[in-house]
């Protein structure tokens, strides 16, 4: 990018005194558009040059694995009197991507990260050219179709009447949590919008629910102590419905209102789907006291929503020829997510599997209720020039169309079949690794009951019967200390793999994989509060969803995990 200088870019906009026009995008088709396009084309080459040239490479961008940024150094920044050239700025921007994880790389099997489809990248980038603002019709004009149609498609996938439902694109799965809580509080504590929250309404979710529960109860002012965590079942990690019934009944008996019950669909590690239909029955059986509104049923489906693509799949005919292992899990996930129809609202993250950050939709079943409950006065300086003006009930004011365009482009580009194949690919990789584990009794996959693509692996010193040892460590208090010891081995193995990944170590002529660790798959069975922070299950987390992963990458990853364990033990 060194050829296109500041001078070159300024050809068309001659300086009189200080020409501020040179900084800004031209509103008309002139030469500067072409110059911009040419520089951006160079910039794309620049950023793409951070990708490796072949598969035998480490799963980070560029050449330098070091983290060069420190808060200490960054604090010294001061604004200079004279600006840099456009290309200098872009070169600086591009250089900051050096060393960043390369999410789609076949050796990247780390925690849930965005795989970015080309259509979504392009769609969200294009919105930056003209900044449509989806706060109301005048500023969004026809671009609001992305939010409206994405919401309609998602509602339809959920089995709702899309004529009556609606959706809001927001800042992630945590934004969706915030929306559900605000919706719930406005419904259950009708005066709370004017007078503030004066009643300790409760939020019920499973102990495996996402920690976004903390953000929203904290920031709404409801208070984090108003979360009640429902136990999960040890084999499925889903909400224990008996415990839920106890809690709901107790609230009902004591006239404590429930703001919402949140079903996680699915959990981040275990791909567990809470039983929405049964939750609905309990909410109906034990309603809030009449002075309060009806408790909201929310599904945190930000990861699991895409299984809706399998909801109506013809598993008998299997038109897409998925292998049996995929079919079984897809059928179960499809059945589990089908229960989302009983919810009042659900959250969707496109950026968990498909699109660039941030692309999330909060979808609600009854738009008349939601939009009415949250309605505010219109602003004096905004005129409503169309029938879609969400600024009257959204949390945010200005909203970029970037996320909604990414969502819309993803749905249009992939279609149901595309989504199915993306999900099937992760399952195939998982099952392949499970097969490869067979000759190694010192390793065990602790989430074989799950139907997601995540593999949670515990690896023990050679000669250990891992499955047996794990059962003891999970359930028996006498094994608390060996549990902690083996947790340490797993943590050290993960740290060594991390180090190898960053050092670009080669094993058998190939770079090593980039994996994660989970330090809280579940507490040991006896650790009920769970107050003992060491009596919890650690596991290596392999999340093999990159569309570029092959069987040989899975085999190699397994081999590298074993090599790392050997060095640690
Ligand atoms: C990722 C995640 C969230 C938080 O979503 P963000 O998009 O990171 O804000 C909430 N719930 C679940 C189940 C998640 O996996």
């Amino acid at each position: 990018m060194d050829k296109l200088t500041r001078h070159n870019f300024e050809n068309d906009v001659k300086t009189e005194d200080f020409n501020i026009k040179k900084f800004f995008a031209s509103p008309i088709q002139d030469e500067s558009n072409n110059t911009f396009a040419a520089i951006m084309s160079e910039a794309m080459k620049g950023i793409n040059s951070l990708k490796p040239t072949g598969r035998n490479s480490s799963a980070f961008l560029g050449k330098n694995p070091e983290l060069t940024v420190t808060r200490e150094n960054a604090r010294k920044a001061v604004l200079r009197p004279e600006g840099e050239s456009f290309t200098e700025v872009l070169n600086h921007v591009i250089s900051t991507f050096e060393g960043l994880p390369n999410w789609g790389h076949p050796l990247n099997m780390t925690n849930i990260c965005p795989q970015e489809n080309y259509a979504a990248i392009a769609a969200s980038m294009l919105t930056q050219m003209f900044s449509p603002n989806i706060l109301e019709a005048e500023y969004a004009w026809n671009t609001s179709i992305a939010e409206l149609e994405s919401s309609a498609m998602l509602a339809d996938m959920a089995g709702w009447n899309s004529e009556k439902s609606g959706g809001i694109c927001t800042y992630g799965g945590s934004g969706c949590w915030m929306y559900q809580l605000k919706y719930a509080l406005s419904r259950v504590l009708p005066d709370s919008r004017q007078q503030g929250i004066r009643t300790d309404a409760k939020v019920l979710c499973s102990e495996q629910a996402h920690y976004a529960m903390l953000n929203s109860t904290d920031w709404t002012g409801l208070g984090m102590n108003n979360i009640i965590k429902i136990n999960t079942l040890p084999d499925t990690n889903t909400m224990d419905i008996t415990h839920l019934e106890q809690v709901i009944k107790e609230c009902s008996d004591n006239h404590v209102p429930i703001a919402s019950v949140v079903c996680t669909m699915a959990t981040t590690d275990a791909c567990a789907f809470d039983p929405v239909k049964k939750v609905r029955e309990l909410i109906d059986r034990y309603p809030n006291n009449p002075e309060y509104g009806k408790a909201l049923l929310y599904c945190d489906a930000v990861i699991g929503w895409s299984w809706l693509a399998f909801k109506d799949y013809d598993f008998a005919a299997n038109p897409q020829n998925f292998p049996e292992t995929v079919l079984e899990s897809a059928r179960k996930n499809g059945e589990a997510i089908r229960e989302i129809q009983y919810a009042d609202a659900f959250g969707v993250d496109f950026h968990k599997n498909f699109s660039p950050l941030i692309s999330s939709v909060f979808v609600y079943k009854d738009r008349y209720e939601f939009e009415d409950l949250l309605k505010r006065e219109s602003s004096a300086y905004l005129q409503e020039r169309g029938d879609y003006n969400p600024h009257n009930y959204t949390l945010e004011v200005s909203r970029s169309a970037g996320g909604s365009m990414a969502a819309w482009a993803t749905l249009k580009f992939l279609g149901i079949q595309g989504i199915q194949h993306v999900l099937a690919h992760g399952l195939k990789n998982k099952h392949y690794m499970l097969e490869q584990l067979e000759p190694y009794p010192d390793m065990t996959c602790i989430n074989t009951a799950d139907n997601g693509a995540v593999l949670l692996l515990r690896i023990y010193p050679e000669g250990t019967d891992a499955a047996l040892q794990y059962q003891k460590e999970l359930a028996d208090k006498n094994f608390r200390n060996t549990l902690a010891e083996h947790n340490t081995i797993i943590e050290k193995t993960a740290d060594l793999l991390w180090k190898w990944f960053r050092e670009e170590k080669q094993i058998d002529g190939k770079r090593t994989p980039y994996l994660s660790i989970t330090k809280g798959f579940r507490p040991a069975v006896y650790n009920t509060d769970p107050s003992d922070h060491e009596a919890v299950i650690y596991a290596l987390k392999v999340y093999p969803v990159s569309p570029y992963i092959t069987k040989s990458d899975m085999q190699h990853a397994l081999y590298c995990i074993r090599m790392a364990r050997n060095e640690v033990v």
Side-chain angles (χ1 to χ4, degrees):
M1 269 190 64
D2 35 27
K3 276 203 314 234
L4 288 154
T5 62
R6 180 189 191 104
H7 176 74
N8 199 331
F9 189 59
E10 283 162 20
N11 270 353
D12 222 44
V13 275
K14 278 276 167 291
T15 317
E16 293 135 30
D17 299 319
F18 195 98
N19 185 354
I20 57 169
K21 276 196 298 193
K22 73 186 177 205
F23 298 125
F24 291 92
S26 166
I28 56 172
Q29 292 188 33
D30 59 19
E31 190 45 37
S32 81
N33 289 278
N34 297 336
T35 313
F36 175 74
I39 293 182
M40 286 310 290
S41 162
E42 289 298 304
M44 288 306 296
K45 283 184 204 155
I47 201 143
N48 283 334
S49 75
L50 295 172
K51 295 180 181 178
T53 48
R55 289 175 57 91
N56 190 12
S57 46
S58 268
F60 62 80
L61 298 172
K63 301 270 179 294
N64 184 3
E66 296 301 320
L67 183 64
T68 54
V69 169
T70 62
R71 295 190 70 162
E72 194 49 37
N73 286 338
R75 268 186 13 203
K76 296 179 187 133
V78 284
L79 185 59
R80 284 196 266 165
E82 203 188 337
E84 297 172 8
S85 75
F86 181 45
T87 50
E88 275 172 321
V89 173
L90 290 187
N91 281 328
H92 282 151
V93 170
I94 291 168
S95 72
T96 67
F97 289 81
E98 189 79 30
L100 188 78
N102 183 356
W103 303 125
H105 192 284
L107 288 176
N108 191 332
M109 303 176 188
T110 186
N111 197 21
I112 296 160
C113 316
Q115 309 298 325
E116 306 187 332
N117 74 75
Y118 276 130
I121 299 175
S124 58
M125 282 169 78
L126 287 175
T127 63
Q128 303 300 332
M129 292 296 294
F130 297 109
S131 282
N133 187 339
I134 49 176
L135 89 168
E136 46 92 54
E138 183 174 331
Y139 293 163
W141 213 240
N142 291 315
T143 63
S144 58
I145 195 169
E147 176 163 87
L148 287 164
E149 286 200 355
S150 301
S151 306
M153 287 187 244
L154 290 164
D156 181 59
M157 285 171 86
W160 293 353
N161 179 351
S162 48
E163 303 265 306
K164 294 194 178 138
S165 54
I168 290 289
C169 291
T170 187
Y171 62 90
S174 43
C176 294
W177 246 96
M178 186 70 137
Y179 263 104
Q180 73 83 16
L181 186 54
K182 181 64 186 160
Y183 184 7
L185 291 169
S186 308
R187 187 203 262 186
V188 173
L189 307 176
D191 295 335
S192 65
R193 291 192 63 211
Q194 280 70 34
Q195 290 164 25
I197 301 163
R198 297 291 177 270
T199 308
D200 283 308
K202 302 296 173 186
V203 176
L204 277 45
C205 56
S206 93
E207 59 187 356
Q208 312 241 349
H210 194 270
Y211 58 81
M213 67 176 113
L214 300 174
N215 305 32
S216 40
T217 48
D218 182 7
W219 285 67
T220 50
L222 176 64
M224 294 183 275
N225 288 349
N226 281 315
I227 299 170
I228 302 181
K229 289 193 191 164
I230 307 301
N231 298 339
T232 50
L233 300 170
D235 45 343
T236 59
N237 293 296
T238 55
M239 212 183 246
D240 177 351
I241 214 75
T242 320
H243 185 221
L244 178 67
E245 178 159 13
Q246 271 168 23
V247 172
I248 293 190
K249 187 168 179 310
E250 207 173 294
C251 287
S252 168
D253 291 349
N254 297 317
H255 307 298
V256 173
I258 292 170
S260 62
V261 184
V262 177
C263 290
T264 311
M265 317 276 285
T267 58
T268 315
D269 279 347
C271 193
F273 292 84
D274 287 332
V276 191
K277 184 162 188 260
K278 290 183 181 152
V279 173
R280 167 56 74 205
E281 285 160 12
L282 289 179
I283 290 178
D284 291 345
R285 193 175 317 151
Y286 303 100
N288 282 336
N289 232 31
E291 72 198 91
Y292 306 114
K294 187 173 178 184
L296 191 85
L297 202 176
Y298 173 64
C299 287
D300 179 0
V302 298
I303 300 188
W305 69 274
S306 47
W307 293 104
L308 285 168
F310 277 103
K311 195 180 63 131
D312 301 319
Y313 187 69
D314 184 345
F315 286 97
N318 191 17
Q320 300 296 318
N321 281 317
F322 294 122
E324 194 51 45
T325 43
V326 166
L327 287 181
E328 196 188 322
S329 292
R331 187 191 299 116
K332 288 183 181 157
N333 291 340
E335 270 165 26
I337 194 75
R338 178 186 283 278
E339 295 199 359
I340 214 168
Q341 62 184 292
Y342 301 106
D344 294 308
F346 64 95
V348 168
D349 275 358
F350 283 86
H351 56 255
K352 288 283 162 66
N353 320 57
F354 301 100
S355 306
L357 284 164
I358 286 176
S359 179
S360 301
V361 193
F362 176 72
V363 194
Y364 38 92
K365 189 185 261 166
D366 182 347
R367 73 179 156 100
Y368 301 101
E369 186 199 31
F370 174 84
E371 293 166 15
D372 222 44
L373 266 180
L374 276 296
K375 193 154 180 65
R376 290 176 300 253
E377 294 286 301
S378 279
S379 154
Y381 49 81
L382 291 178
Q383 290 78 42
E384 299 192 344
R385 308 284 192 192
D387 74 349
Y388 187 56
N389 303 290
H391 69 114
N392 284 331
Y393 49 84
T394 50
L395 166 60
E396 304 98 325
V397 178
S398 288
R399 283 185 306 132
S400 159
S404 61
M405 281 294 177
W408 194 51
T410 299
L411 292 169
K412 290 169 84 64
F413 191 42
L414 272 69
I416 290 182
Q417 289 172 5
I419 296 175
Q420 287 169 345
H421 279 274
V422 170
L423 295 172
H425 175 74
L427 290 177
K428 280 186 215 166
N429 290 334
K430 171 194 171 166
H431 285 286
Y432 182 72
M433 188 178 254
L434 281 177
E435 281 166 27
Q436 299 298 305
L437 277 178
E438 264 163 37
Y440 304 117
D442 53 1
M443 296 181 81
T444 184
C445 175
I446 60 173
N447 66 325
T448 43
D450 302 344
N451 293 295
V454 175
L455 289 127
L456 298 175
L457 303 174
R458 277 181 73 81
I459 184 162
Y460 290 85
E462 212 151 4
T464 316
D465 180 341
L468 189 68
Q469 183 67 23
Y470 170 60
Q471 282 314 318
K472 291 176 185 162
E473 290 173 351
L474 177 64
D476 188 341
K477 196 162 187 174
N478 295 322
F479 286 82
R480 183 198 166 279
N481 290 346
T482 57
L483 168 62
E485 271 167 39
H486 291 138
N487 280 348
T488 308
I489 290 178
I490 286 166
E491 184 171 10
K492 284 188 176 161
T493 304
D495 287 346
L496 185 60
L497 283 163
W498 162 260
K499 188 164 160 274
W500 286 353
F501 150 58
R502 282 287 158 186
E503 283 172 352
E504 302 191 69
K505 184 183 170 74
Q506 303 205 33
I507 291 182
D508 280 0
K510 266 184 91 172
R511 300 304 203 285
T512 60
Y514 170 28
L515 309 177
S516 304
I517 178 171
T518 180
K519 295 183 183 175
F521 173 55
R522 51 178 307 117
V525 175
Y526 53 84
N527 184 16
T528 40
D529 334 2
S531 56
D532 182 349
H533 294 296
E534 287 192 2
V536 293
I537 306 299
Y538 286 24
L540 295 174
K541 178 169 179 178
V542 181
Y543 191 62
V545 292
S546 160
Y548 290 89
I549 293 176
T550 63
K551 284 183 176 175
S552 94
D553 297 315
M554 296 307 293
Q555 236 168 13
H556 180 65
L558 181 57
Y559 185 63
C560 294
I561 291 171
R562 298 187 61 75
M563 296 294 281
R565 186 276 321 266
N566 290 351
E567 290 220 359
V568 162
V569 168

